[in-house]
Amino acid sequence: MKDLNDTAEAAFRFASLMVGLALAVLVGWATWWVVRYLRADAMTRQSIRQAVRIRRGWKRLAPMLKLSATDKTPTALASLANPEGKPIRPRVLIPALKVVHDAYGVIARANCLPGIGLQQFQKAAPHLADAWRCTRVAVTQDKPGQVLIRGVRLDPLKFPTEHLPTGDVPDETARWDLGLDEYAQPVSVNLTQVPGVTVAGLPGFGKTSLINRLLSDWAPSPAVQFACADGKVSAAHEGDYADWVQRMFAFVGDDLDEANKLFRHLVELRRARSASVRQVLGVKSMWDVGPSENWPLVVLIVDEAHTYFRDHKGSDPQTKKLAALAAENARLVEDLVKKGRSVGLLTILTTQKSTGDAIPTFIRDVCPVGLSFAQKTAEAAVAALGEEIREWPDANPINLQDPTYVGVASMNHQSQPGFTRIRTPYVPDAEAALVAEQTATLTTDPYALLEAFLGLPMTDVDFTKLDA
């Protein structure tokens, strides 16, 4: 009897210990949750409450939206528990849902069921937005058998953002981080094997800020060198790139003759690289090995490109000279865009309205990546993004003229159909200037690098022998 009492007492103590541990874990979890909630900002608190409501109501909401499946086959346990052979009630299966929050809304992952997959969730997306009190909901494939549901309560495009460059060398040399899309997801574009990019939009809506982000992120890499032709200014100390000139191996203003010299210099670099790429790198395309300090990716920024390509009308000698220079500039930049990809030349052209008179179509139409900030006319939107933009009215840049959308651009993203809108961040001038100053010592003319490798001036190199 004593042994029995001892056993019961030990069992009671063990049970009490387990209950105590469970209560401690519960209290710890509750404390952690409350502290996290109290430390969150007002927007994130709303998202936390929203996520709780979604989890709590999911089992009831899913069948209403036909996101459940009926299993009429009884389980083995149900069959064993039914010796009298009565009809067994079918089971209603609800997709498992895991929900996390952020400042803008929620991100949910749901498991698929037989007959309930990506298509069914996408069809239900508008109703999920209503039930979850979201501005919009998007459903994409996360992985086989699972969908990703992104719901935003607040429109990320309406909230200006700021980017503080780290000054670190980027992990991927040719990846351009652009900002956040309309679901507050980061958007980047891979510029590997891309010869040209066009950026259009009304003045003051974010074109230069977009380029500033690229310069701030890429400047710390010695495997990238920059040149710039800025049609808005006459001297290097003027305008938006005044701080960046120290990180550029070449810079010209609105002088067409000076721009012609720069474009010609880069075409000579392109020819020299094309002729020597096999000897220097041992491959046909620089992208087979990637940019390096000795063979850097060369980024040419042509800001307000219409300055250099505009067709000048007139019969006086000065106008004829300007017309000839503009035509020659267009021919040279065409050479860079059409032939510079494999040897590591990237041309970025910005203008207010990328119609054929601003960026000749034989240049614009071979640039695979295009972005557009606000536009006033449908013609300008089509010129910037192509005819297909007419089929995506929500993403059309003519809808971005409100001051709220300064810094928002539309683009045809590489990884998904159609068009997406992006909130590009603002880089404070002081931060950009600091990166430019810290990385100025990395600036080198890539033409000089190639001359140093070959051991003699380019003018003395027999390119026919190099090709052989």
Side-chain angles (χ1 to χ4, degrees):
M1 188 68 178
K2 183 180 179 181
D3 292 341
L4 184 61
N5 289 336
D6 291 343
T7 302
E9 185 177 351
F12 178 77
R13 284 199 301 267
F14 179 77
S16 299
L17 179 62
M18 291 297 101
V19 170
L21 287 174
L23 287 174
V25 170
L26 182 61
V27 170
W29 175 83
T31 302
W32 171 82
W33 195 93
V34 170
V35 170
R36 185 182 63 161
Y37 180 81
L38 293 176
R39 293 183 63 182
D41 57 66
M43 290 171 54
T44 304
R45 289 182 187 180
Q46 291 184 51
S47 297
I48 292 174
R49 295 194 296 269
Q50 182 184 28
V52 171
R53 288 195 304 270
I54 289 171
R55 294 188 195 100
R56 187 185 303 157
W58 176 242
K59 288 187 177 180
R60 184 177 182 182
L61 177 64
M64 293 182 186
L65 300 183
K66 298 181 181 179
L67 295 178
S68 62
T70 301
D71 185 1
K72 297 182 180 180
T73 304
T75 63
L77 185 61
S79 299
L80 291 173
N82 185 34
E84 298 179 3
K86 294 180 180 180
I88 297 176
R89 188 176 180 178
R91 294 183 303 147
V92 176
L93 306 179
I94 307 295
L97 188 77
K98 294 182 179 179
V99 186
V100 296
H101 64 272
D102 61 17
Y104 296 98
V106 295
I107 301 173
R109 286 177 170 81
N111 292 334
C112 298
L113 296 174
I116 308 296
L118 177 63
Q119 185 176 357
Q120 288 69 34
F121 276 97
Q122 289 178 333
K123 185 177 179 180
H127 306 295
L128 287 172
D130 292 335
W132 291 356
R133 304 173 193 174
C134 290
T135 300
R136 64 179 74 94
V137 166
V139 182
T140 55
Q141 191 81 49
D142 188 31
K143 60 183 180 180
Q146 189 176 84
V147 295
L148 179 68
I149 309 170
R150 174 53 167 163
V152 289
R153 186 185 67 262
L154 304 171
D155 189 350
L157 301 179
K158 294 184 178 181
F159 293 87
T161 56
E162 191 175 274
H163 174 67
L164 300 179
T166 64
D168 297 331
V169 177
D171 295 332
E172 297 181 63
T173 302
R175 181 164 296 279
W176 188 5
D177 293 321
L178 297 171
L180 300 177
D181 68 9
E182 49 203 301
Y183 293 96
Q185 299 302 293
V187 177
S188 62
V189 58
N190 187 357
L191 296 182
T192 300
Q193 299 279 11
V194 172
V197 176
T198 60
V199 182
L202 295 174
F205 272 81
K207 299 189 298 295
T208 303
S209 181
L210 178 73
I211 303 300
N212 206 25
R213 166 77 184 271
L214 180 144
L215 289 168
S216 298
D217 289 347
W218 288 14
S221 173
V224 184
Q225 297 296 337
F226 303 98
C228 180
D230 186 359
K232 300 192 299 294
V233 301
S234 298
H237 65 272
E238 302 172 350
D240 299 305
Y241 301 104
D243 293 322
W244 283 112
V245 171
Q246 58 191 316
R247 184 59 179 91
M248 296 175 175
F249 68 87
F251 180 92
V252 298
D254 57 4
D255 187 295
L256 266 62
D257 192 31
E258 291 299 314
N260 187 265
K261 293 177 183 177
L262 171 60
F263 299 151
R264 187 177 296 278
H265 177 72
L266 291 173
V267 168
E268 291 173 358
L269 171 65
R270 196 278 307 161
R271 290 185 63 248
R273 280 190 166 190
S274 296
S276 61
V277 62
R278 290 192 183 187
Q279 178 187 7
V280 177
L281 300 181
V283 292
K284 293 181 180 179
S285 171
M286 180 275 286
W287 293 109
D288 291 340
V289 294
S292 64
E293 186 172 354
N294 292 323
W295 192 292
L297 171 64
V298 178
V299 180
L300 168 63
I301 299 165
V302 186
D303 203 339
E304 300 297 344
H306 53 272
T307 303
Y308 307 104
F309 307 137
R310 182 168 64 88
D311 186 14
H312 295 265
K313 302 292 185 181
S315 57
D316 60 283
Q318 181 62 22
T319 302
K320 287 183 176 180
K321 178 182 178 182
L322 292 175
L325 284 171
E328 178 71 0
N329 288 339
R331 185 189 69 79
L332 293 170
V333 174
E334 178 188 16
D335 181 283
L336 295 175
V337 174
K338 289 186 175 180
K339 301 178 182 179
R341 173 185 57 82
S342 63
V343 293
L345 272 75
L346 168 65
T347 303
I348 302 176
L349 304 108
T350 81
T351 186
Q352 297 175 24
K353 183 179 174 183
S354 57
T355 47
D357 57 335
I359 301 179
T361 55
F362 53 79
I363 296 175
R364 184 193 70 197
D365 293 347
V366 293
C367 293
V369 177
L371 299 92
S372 180
F373 292 86
Q375 296 287 359
K376 277 192 173 182
T377 66
E379 175 198 14
V382 169
L385 300 173
E387 285 287 342
E388 192 181 4
I389 190 61
R390 298 184 189 273
E391 301 174 14
W392 297 80
D394 290 343
N396 198 309
I398 62 175
N399 299 321
L400 301 176
Q401 297 180 56
D402 190 290
T404 304
Y405 294 113
V406 170
V408 176
S410 295
M411 73 170 295
N412 188 344
H413 199 268
Q414 298 166 314
S415 63
Q416 60 190 47
F419 294 82
T420 186
R421 294 177 296 173
I422 304 163
R423 161 62 69 178
T424 62
Y426 170 72
V427 179
D429 292 339
E431 297 290 333
L434 180 61
V435 173
E437 182 180 354
Q438 292 175 340
T439 61
T441 56
L442 301 178
T443 306
T444 307
D445 188 336
Y447 200 93
L449 290 174
L450 197 53
E451 284 186 326
F453 179 86
L454 296 174
L456 68 166
M458 286 296 179
T459 53
D460 297 336
V461 177
D462 185 347
F463 291 122
T464 58
K465 291 184 179 180
L466 290 178
D467 284 335

